[in-house]
Amino acid sequence: MFKKILFGLMLIASTSAANAAIITQSQTITQQSTNINTSLIFNLFNLGPGFELTKVSFTIDGDVFGSASVESRDSEPSTIDIELSVTLTLFDPSNSALVISIPLFSQSFNATAFDGVIDFGGTSGATFTGLNASQSVTESYTDAATLAEFTGPGVISLGFTAIGTSSGSGAGNLVSEFSTQASGDIEVVYEYRSTVVSEPSIVALFGLGLLASGGM
């Protein structure tokens, strides 16, 4: 008898899992110079009665490209740390961040005392080209406010920025120059379920009720 009841519960669980599904939308920001400030349009979740949005996920697969030039003007040798980075952010209509990706490339350089020429070369300076890094970040939301914001007819406009955030440090008198470009793939995923009780579920519940009655 216990095995029959357990089978009934497994049938209900598998039927519920089968009702879960996803809708995926994506847009691409092509490689371009920072800073980037634009809007991206996505369809709202609108499957109508019988379907409920249960989770919204946002992903930024971000990339940074560029070059860095540094020159130490210190009178003593120093180690210069270079970070080439960009901050990519997707915002909701109220300008709150939904997801943030910060791809970062780091490099260190041992500079001598200033060689007398600010040329980003020699022994006290350096130039690095062809730098790049990637980072993919996903944030998911299940709160009622966010689910409601992304449910309904029509579309929603989400703000997107890619801001250069590169830096150099390590020398008290440091001259630095950075050139950055960014690109990214932005994805919005709706996870939803059917709120209609399917016939197999009704049969399973009915059968489970009979088994429980028989057990009693």
Side-chain angles (χ1 to χ4, degrees):
M1 181 62 69
F2 175 75
K3 290 183 179 180
K4 291 181 180 179
I5 295 174
L6 182 61
F7 176 75
L9 290 171
M10 290 174 63
L11 179 58
I12 295 171
S14 62
T15 303
S16 299
N19 287 337
I22 63 171
I23 296 173
T24 301
Q25 304 176 73
S26 61
Q27 295 197 37
T28 297
I29 301 296
T30 58
Q31 184 176 336
Q32 54 191 285
S33 297
T34 56
N35 295 326
I36 303 169
N37 190 342
T38 188
S39 296
L40 304 177
I41 305 298
F42 294 92
N43 292 320
L44 290 169
F45 176 78
N46 186 32
L47 292 185
F51 297 95
E52 178 185 28
L53 183 63
T54 57
K55 180 164 66 175
V56 185
S57 298
F58 306 93
T59 298
I60 296 180
D61 189 359
D63 303 284
V64 62
F65 310 87
S67 61
S69 300
V70 292
E71 185 80 43
S72 172
R73 299 185 63 192
D74 281 1
S75 58
E76 299 290 336
S78 59
T79 299
I80 301 172
D81 296 315
I82 302 160
E83 291 188 348
L84 185 83
S85 66
V86 65
T87 299
L88 302 96
T89 309
L90 186 68
F91 298 91
D92 70 6
S94 65
N95 209 37
S96 296
L98 293 167
V99 59
I100 300 173
S101 171
I102 308 177
L104 181 149
F105 177 92
S106 60
Q107 176 81 47
S108 294
F109 167 67
N110 293 320
T112 66
F114 183 43
D115 60 12
V117 182
I118 301 178
D119 58 357
F120 303 111
T123 58
S124 60
T127 297
F128 304 93
T129 60
L131 310 181
N132 65 84
S134 301
Q135 185 190 54
S136 182
V137 178
T138 299
E139 296 288 351
S140 297
Y141 299 82
T142 58
D143 61 284
T146 301
L147 298 180
E149 186 175 35
F150 284 85
T151 300
V155 298
I156 189 168
S157 177
L158 304 180
F160 176 84
T161 61
I163 309 299
T165 50
S166 302
S167 64
S169 62
N173 295 288
L174 180 66
V175 181
S176 61
E177 292 183 359
F178 297 92
S179 175
T180 57
Q181 294 183 318
S183 68
D185 292 318
I186 296 86
E187 187 175 78
V188 176
V189 177
Y190 297 144
E191 185 172 322
Y192 66 95
R193 66 182 181 88
S194 171
T195 57
V196 178
V197 180
S198 62
E199 185 175 339
S201 297
I202 296 173
V203 172
L205 288 169
F206 180 69
L208 188 58
L210 289 178
L211 288 172
S213 299
M216 293 175 63

